[in-house]
Amino acid sequence: MANLVKETPTGEIQILVVDAGADLLEAIPAALRHHQLRVDYATGVEASLQRLRSGPVDLVIADIDTPDVADVALLRALRSELPGVKVIVISSGRDQGIVAALLRQRAYSVMIRPVSKVRLLDAIESAIRVSSWEDDIELLSGVSDWFQIRIACKLQAAERAAQLFHEVPPDLDESELDQFATAFRELLMNAIEHGGRSDPQMSIFVNFIRTSVALVLYIRDPGPGFSMGSLSHAAVSNPDGGLAHAEVREQLGIRPGGFGILMAKNMVDDLIYSERGNEVILIKYRKAAK
């Protein structure tokens, strides 16, 4: 069947919201107040499919209000009949298993309640902007203590992965979670841009491991690696906090930046690169274990 997700002639954003709870009804207009949009609402699988068959839809936002990992019937039905439709799922399931179950049904993004209006807006804008996405993220392991995904070397895939990181409960308070997620995003971007050369045929492998004393992120890229001594274009090479790396980047014709590794290093408890340099581990110790 043809993909019904496409740009509309007027530029109006067509969104279908399915089985919306009260919080979602409030969050969607607030998140999209700066956009021209049309929001249709449906209840149940059949009504949702009828609306999708009746005309183009840019995005489906489905409220799957359950902690039960087996209850993904709505997403399964949408995916079976309309495989190209992007679906952002809102769920109250605080179990990591629900995220894994929804990713296996090829959800574009998953958000666990309470709904963050800022992250919801980011997810919606990403879904509307992105065209080719189906093979960007693949779940390899979804058990509670070992979450592993393969990410295509595309910046849009990195943004989706960073959004998903917020929804895998890491036992951190909000500020610590934001820092850990930012560190992950920065190093994932580095891995895609420098290790994978933004080649969508190449992949990054990410493991999120939960132990009794720490939360561990492991990132491996397909590149040849690097040594810290060769990073004159990065801020981490300036231990005194200077900006010498900015001059090097300008001379090399590299875009402004270079703060990723230094920023990540300051946001986690340990950051360790392998000898080759194409693997990195980020560690955040649990408070009780410090």
Side-chain angles (χ1 to χ4, degrees):
M1 181 174 292
N3 185 355
L4 296 180
V5 181
K6 56 187 177 183
E7 290 187 19
T8 57
T10 63
E12 186 178 57
I13 301 168
Q14 304 279 334
I15 297 177
L16 175 62
V17 179
V18 181
D19 293 335
D23 59 337
L24 193 53
L25 290 173
E26 176 185 353
I28 289 175
L32 292 175
R33 61 183 178 272
H34 300 304
H35 294 267
Q36 182 183 2
L37 70 149
R38 174 184 170 186
V39 181
D40 291 334
Y41 296 88
T43 301
V45 175
E46 286 307 314
S48 303
L49 292 176
Q50 286 178 13
R51 169 60 188 89
L52 286 166
R53 292 167 186 150
S54 70
V57 170
D58 296 289
L59 176 66
V60 174
I61 302 176
D63 195 340
I64 298 180
D65 190 12
T66 174
D68 184 355
V69 298
D71 189 8
V72 291
L74 171 62
L75 184 59
R76 187 178 296 114
L78 293 173
R79 185 63 57 236
S80 174
E81 187 156 345
L82 298 165
V85 70
K86 297 184 190 118
V87 183
I88 295 175
V89 176
I90 310 297
S91 175
S92 61
R94 295 305 305 179
D95 187 322
Q96 181 174 310
I98 191 67
V99 178
L102 293 168
L103 284 180
R104 287 194 171 103
Q105 292 300 323
R106 303 180 72 80
Y108 181 83
S109 189
V110 180
M111 301 190 69
I112 303 299
R113 286 191 168 87
V115 177
S116 163
K117 293 175 183 177
V118 173
R119 289 205 299 275
L120 177 59
L121 176 58
D122 288 343
I124 291 171
E125 290 186 333
S126 168
I128 292 170
R129 184 177 66 249
V130 169
S131 54
S132 175
W133 63 278
E134 290 89 340
D135 298 321
D136 285 358
I137 295 177
E138 179 187 8
L139 179 71
L140 301 177
S141 173
V143 297
S144 60
D145 293 328
W146 195 308
F147 200 81
Q148 183 184 48
I149 56 177
R150 180 197 60 78
I151 305 170
C153 287
K154 301 161 69 174
L155 294 183
Q156 67 188 40
E159 294 291 356
R160 279 182 63 203
Q163 290 167 6
L164 285 168
F165 180 85
H166 275 276
E167 313 309 326
V168 181
D171 304 325
L172 299 173
D173 63 35
E174 192 63 27
S175 63
E176 288 182 314
L177 173 57
D178 285 341
Q179 288 188 339
F180 204 19
T182 298
F184 167 56
R185 181 185 179 280
E186 289 297 324
L187 294 189
L188 181 57
M189 290 289 196
N190 276 353
I192 287 174
E193 287 187 301
H194 303 297
R197 302 295 182 186
S198 297
D199 180 350
Q201 300 304 313
M202 293 187 174
S203 298
I204 307 293
F205 291 89
V206 174
N207 291 266
F208 174 57
I209 303 166
R210 190 193 317 264
T211 77
S212 59
V213 296
L215 302 169
V216 181
L217 266 170
Y218 166 79
I219 303 171
R220 175 168 60 88
D221 69 56
F226 67 93
S227 66
M228 282 292 178
S230 67
L231 295 182
S232 59
H233 61 284
V236 72
S237 65
N238 303 321
D240 59 353
L243 295 174
H245 76 285
E247 297 179 6
V248 175
R249 295 179 76 88
E250 185 176 359
Q251 292 168 5
L252 295 174
I254 303 175
R255 63 177 175 80
F259 294 94
I261 295 176
L262 181 62
M263 185 185 300
K265 194 176 183 67
N266 290 332
M267 289 182 168
V268 297
D269 293 312
D270 280 313
L271 188 152
I272 306 167
Y273 272 95
S274 66
E275 180 178 9
R276 180 177 164 186
N278 71 326
E279 300 167 288
V280 62
I281 291 176
L282 297 83
I283 300 175
K284 190 77 173 178
Y285 294 105
R286 295 174 184 264
K287 287 182 178 179
K290 289 182 179 179

